[in-house]
Amino acid sequence: MQLPSVNGNELPLQISPSSIAVDPVALINTECITVTSAMRKHARWAHSSVSAILGGASSTSLRMPYSPSAKELGTTTSKRQSNGPPIRSSSALSTQPAGGDEDGIASRWGLRGKRGKSLQDNPLMSAFARLRSDLRGCTDIRTVDIPALLHPFLQVIRSSSTSAPITSLALVAIGKFFAYNIITKDSPRLSLGMQLLSAAITHCRFEASDSAADEIVLLRILKLMEDMLAGPGGDLLGDESVCEMMETGLSMCCQVRLSELLRRSAEISMVTMCQLLFERLKRLEDEPESPEFSNNAPATEPEGTTLRMEAPLKGKNTAAPQFGKTPLSAEFNAADKESIQAGRSSASFEQVRVNGPSTADLTQTATPANLDEAEIKPYSLPSIRELFRVLVNLLEPHDRQHTDSMRIMALRIIDVALEVAGPSIAKHPSLASLAKDDLCRHLFQLVRSDNMNLLNESLRVAGTLLATCRSVLKLQQELFLSYMVACLHPKVEIPREPGIDPSLYDGIPNVPKLVKPPPSQASSGRSTPVPVKDRQKLGMEGGSRKPDAREAMVESIGTLVRIPSFLAELFVNYDCEVDRGDLCEDMIGLLSRNAFPDSATWSTTNVPPLCLDALLGYAQFIADRLNQEPNTVGYPDKDHLRHQRARKKVIIKGVTRFNENPKAGIAYLSSQGIIEDADDPESVARFLKGTTRVSKKVLGDYISKKSNEHILNAFLDQFNFSNKRVDEALREMLVSFRLPGESPLIERIVDVFSEKYCASAAPDGISHKDTVYVLTYAIIMLNTDQHNPNVKPQNRMDYTAFARNLRGVNDGRDFPPEYLQDIYDSIKTNEIILPDEHDNQHAFDYAWKELLVKTENAGDLQVLDTNIYDADMFAATWKPVVATLSYVFMSATEDAVYQRVVAGFDQCAQIAAKYNISDALDHIIYCLSTISMLAPEIPPSTALNTEVQIGKRNVMVSELAVKFGRDYRAQLATVVLFKGVIADNESSINVGWKWIIRIWLNLFVNSLIPANFSPSKPVLEIPPIPVQAPSQVINRGERNNDSGLFSTFTSYLATYTADDPPEPSDEELNDTLCTVDCLAACPMTDVFTNLITLPIDSLRTLVLALLDELPENPSPVVITVKSDPSSPNSAKTNGHRTTSSKYDPNAVFILELVTLLAIRDSESIDAVGKDVSEALQNTIRDGANVHPMTISRTIFYLFHVLKQSHEHTFIRVPVILHTIAGLQQSILEKSALPILKGLALCLDEPGALRNEIANTPDFWNLLRSLHTIPAATGGVFELVESIIKGKPTAITADNYEPAVALLKDFATAGSTGAVAEQKREAQRGPRRMKPVKQPTAKDNESVALGVKAVTMIQQLSNRVPFLIQQSHLELHEAWTTYWSPIFLSLSTQCVNPCREIRQNAFNSLQRALLSPGLASPEHSEWTAIFSEVLFPLIMQLMKPEVYQTDPQGMSETRVQAATLLCKIFLHYLAVLEPWEGFVGLWGNILEIMERLMGSGQGESLEEAVPESLKNILLVMSSGGYLVRPEEAPDKASLWDETWKRLERFLPRMYREIFPKTEDASEEKGQEKTGSEDNTDEVEKPIVAKEEA
């Protein structure tokens, strides 16, 4: 099993003790015999007695309490602190007794007796014998007293007379007791036994033999200490025991005399033991600290008053060990405590001169001593704190007694401690104080070391410290990270790479925000110029580090950044605080800049991928938190943080202006509310004193001016000089600004300072402010003299000279000598100067003190576990992240890098979309669009596009498709763009639509995406947008499979000769297929579908972006319209196209898409309807410069918009119709069908729009222009029919006349059917010589429409009375406006050459003339039906040219006309008779009839006219209208006029009507009956025709 490790060291495991197979008592006896056997083999114990082997009687039972001696406990007395644990006496490590005492002991025990004397009473041997004796009869080893069990072994360990192997055996035996569970947590007096064992192994002594054996003993001591801490009694050890054990381990780690292996082993053991100790700290979190341990103990506290351990120091050994065969015996103290507090011996090896062959360091017997067993408190915070303090002190970088190897060792141990219990350390004030002050102070200086091993360990510990304790290290973390940024951020521009657009990585900061301009050095000598290298070493600026050091620093930063909440914490705790730096932005900028490949030139090749990985991790963490529930409990309000960030930006801008021009800066800050009142000195001074961003030099020059003396006074009022010496007050003041270089300005500042000092401090012994003034000047001069490098040391002022200069200036008296001495010493040792101008260690020390002071007010760092700040953080940092991803994407060559970058783009897009950071999403789209090469400023040429037919698949090979298919990077970017960035994020896109639209247009124009926007039923019922017709069409299926070189060459020559573009190669075809497959993987259809559901704001953004892509001149892009493949003019297979027309499909694509978006619903119309309608109308108005295809589709789109938005004011029906009607006829001919489709869409439902269109004159003008186009005739008629017959009808007084006129045109157009009718008539004749051509469908349609038009004209007569009533016109005007058009139109069609139309016209005219509302006795305007309708009609029919249009049918038409005239006259006879023009009308009728009789047009007319007249005369006679003069004198004129005219062409008519026979009445009755019959005969044909 492999053990987990920390920092390369195995973690301690609580291993269960092994079970033992032998009897525990037997094992103990065996171990006793083993040790004593080894002792007997030693010369010193060679004469042991038999009793030493056999063991004597037990003098002390193992079950009785054993009382150790003071020496065994390590103390002479058991001292206690008032409230603390027991501590050791200063005589813990006593030297051996010398002289007579030693001889006495030797005589007593027989150790140094004469030859032959017994050694039976040897205490070491006898102790083992007694233990064996006591174990006799023991049945339960768990009842054995632990101190008694360990006593003989501990004597051997402590004895200086034993050799290393013997000591090792004793240590092995004790180790077995722990390993075999002989010593358990329930063993009697285990706590005391553990204390005895700890004291023994930390005071182990033995004779030096060879170094290997000696080091084995030390290794066993290390192992035993580990077992003790990890074993059952580890928690029972006291604080002092633990401290001694830690001192022992640290001494072994630091002893250079020991082997490297032993030192490394000691370090591993220390790591293990520290893991155990600090693991216990977690259980002490709620334990209150003792007052004496709550803070660092004072350096001057008396020895022995508190627990304290010292770190081993190099070079303080009193003697060096002597190994090997030597007459000298060496006494070795394993702890090697080189500088031990409380008077302990500092010797590790005591060399003792002896006179005999052996030496002895004997302990007291096991006889109970008169010492009470002290109460032992388990170790806790005191020992842990002491260990932590000693380890931290080992890191002191300026202590020459500590080597780098010692520091590295201490760093490794501290790292483990932080890894195990870092958060617990932060929670204990005493440990946190060490971490915040000493540990950070040492670490932040060690990271500037050039020793790579030391640097690596320092960075590791610093990272672990910040990872675990950063909550209490707010300002310390800022200092550390600021230094790292200053060191690592390169200050060189990113080199231009060929093939990579610089705009892709725009956003990478050239310098971090925290970098301040270098402080200006004064020429007065008061400040000391510091070389750059020295300043870098002091940490005042980053400077340049070695490549390996840079890599280590980057790794350290990467470790921190990989903490999920780390950068968010930086953002909240620093970027959002006014007085802190923008650490989060600087860290992202640092990682971004170093992720560029050129950073490897000043670091290593590992740095760019490390930084890229950290950046990608940053995006990953934010993406992982996207779906988390926002947690606001216990966290600052994000709105408040936004306000602080905004305020911070204003302050930075204002301070920047102040540093350039103080007045302008103050005015700006006042205008922004940062300074309450620019005219208030206190407000200005408070701001200048409270901000650290102001240039100290500019501030000094500003407040020292005479015009700003009021601000100087207010500024110095901000200081508290109470209880401070003059030099201390002066130092505090001069830290905040820099003294100017001119003496008058300095004098002004010193004068005000003197006044303020005297007012606040009121120092004793100083008379008034003039005294302070002189003393202050003297201090300034002393400071310059002592620290000016141009002054030689021997020429510097001493105290005597300083005091002499001030003699008598204190109001005639001298200053107290001790007062001046303190001032002199302070200035001499610590220069008064700005921190960043120090030239020695004082710079860092002073800055650190200032940091600790600020820490008290800065508060703790807010540790985050929430996503509520991610939006603001990403909004502030996305630019360098996206720029880095773009650059790496363009320069990467490995698939693994592509995968990570693609994931990064996807995550950034999701973040930007989730938090609606449109700028970020737009820039991502721009970058990917640029990489894809599908959105160039100038679109690629389409002149050589070739369509290749491969089976059932058609592929358009183009320049764009081939180039794109060869670029894997571009394909990948496109898939990422549409699949990961755009899809489902459409609502968050803003200006990014510009690039997406360009991609769509380029793909569309090259036939790489379909023309329809949705796979479902299209919203616009219109064919797909025509795209480019290929320059040639190649059918690969028709080719012969033989494609050898000769055939290829022949094909090339053929195309070259024909001036055709070369056919695409197989490689180009494969590239195109790759392009097609790539685009198929992009969810274009899903994106278009999502567009329809965009929110209104997003939809408006998209529409405006689309409209921006419309060309100013709608026809700059010229391509050919793809025609119908069946057309003879289409591209020939494997040949060149012969005809083409020019048009811009991209404009149509845009217009159609914006139309779809605009007509989505009422909200979309409100948002973009105006913009879309204006664009459509502008395109139509520019019809002369736009292709008819574009015009026709644009008109159709406009009608769709009109239908949805006609209620809005931005669109007007008359304007639209006028624009369309004003187009050239050639354009109308090509746009007729879309126009009609659009009009039908708007007229399909009754409503305001339908009425408004129908009442617009340009609508009827447009229809009259369109109806002449054969393809549009039927559509126009359907529109008119829907208007007239719709319910309700749309015919009004305004459109009545144009409607009739248009119907008249349709009827007139039906005259083309006359030819067909006459040919059919001729076909039926007896002399048909050849087949007659059948009429075309077109002719039939014209006739049918003409017939319908005539009928509809007649139907309109039903609305005339309503229209007249509605119009309120005069009777004459009403007749002219409403009746006249109908009659004139119908009468016109009565002479139509087409018989079907002509017959229907007569029927319709008759119905119209017989309309109930036509005639009225109230007016005579209606009588114009004779003079304006019927008379002109008959006159027209009598014209030869009219007759010739249908010679066979016109005769019948004349008869119908005469009959109709008579019928209408008879119908209105009663109404006409009272009319004054009745006689004249009748005379005109007779005249017309006379002309018809004399026209010579055939028998039918000669028969019909008399019959009709006879019928009229009979009706008039019977009705009393035509009577003899004698019967009705008032009607004589009618009688005379009638017979006068009839006599001219029908002389017999009178006799036929009025015979002079007797049976006149009968004859009259018969004639009347006959007349009625004739009338029926005359009317029957009309009725028959009506029924037909």
Side-chain angles (χ1 to χ4, degrees), residues 126-144:
S126 61
F128 285 104
R130 284 193 298 273
L131 176 59
R132 291 171 56 201
S133 176
D134 291 339
L135 288 174
R136 293 172 190 164
C138 177
T139 58
D140 188 358
I141 196 65
R142 292 174 295 182
T143 62
V144 175

Side-chain angles (χ1 to χ4, degrees), residues 46 215 322 366 374 506 564 600 634 661 708 783 811 909 975 1090 1264 1576 1578:
E215 293 191 355
Q322 297 182 6
D506 184 23
N661 185 343
N708 298 326
N783 186 69
D811 199 15
V975 174
N1090 293 339
R1264 296 190 70 176
D1576 292 340
V1578 173

Side-chain angles (χ1 to χ4, degrees), residues 1478-1479 1482 1516 1521-1522 1531-1539:
F1478 176 70
V1479 176
W1482 173 242
M1516 292 176 66
Y1521 303 105
L1522 183 65
K1531 297 180 181 179
S1533 58
L1534 177 62
W1535 177 270
D1536 295 338
E1537 184 68 22
T1538 301
W1539 299 116

Side-chain angles (χ1 to χ4, degrees), residues 436 472-476 848-860:
K436 289 191 286 187
V472 296
L473 302 175
K474 184 173 183 178
L475 299 188
Q476 291 85 343
W848 191 258
K849 290 179 182 178
E850 290 294 314
L851 182 142
L852 293 179
V853 172
K854 294 177 181 178
T855 302
E856 299 176 359
N857 299 323
D860 289 343

Side-chain angles (χ1 to χ4, degrees), residues 31-32 34-40 44-45 72 122-129 131 149-174 197 200-201 203-207 217 221 332 360-364:
E31 294 301 327
C32 291
T34 301
V35 175
T36 55
S37 175
M39 293 174 64
R40 287 195 305 274
R44 181 169 297 175
W45 293 282
E72 287 177 300
N122 185 294
L124 300 182
M125 298 288 285
S126 61
F128 285 104
L131 176 59
L149 175 63
L150 297 178
H151 171 67
F153 299 96
L154 300 184
Q155 280 189 310
V156 172
I157 294 172
R158 294 179 65 96
S159 174
S160 61
S161 59
T162 55
S163 63
I166 297 173
T167 305
S168 180
L169 289 174
L171 293 170
V172 170
I174 296 175
L197 180 57
I201 62 177
H203 296 78
C204 174
R205 295 175 180 174
F206 57 88
E207 289 182 350
V217 174
I221 290 175
F332 182 72
D361 179 21
L362 302 180
T363 65
Q364 299 178 8

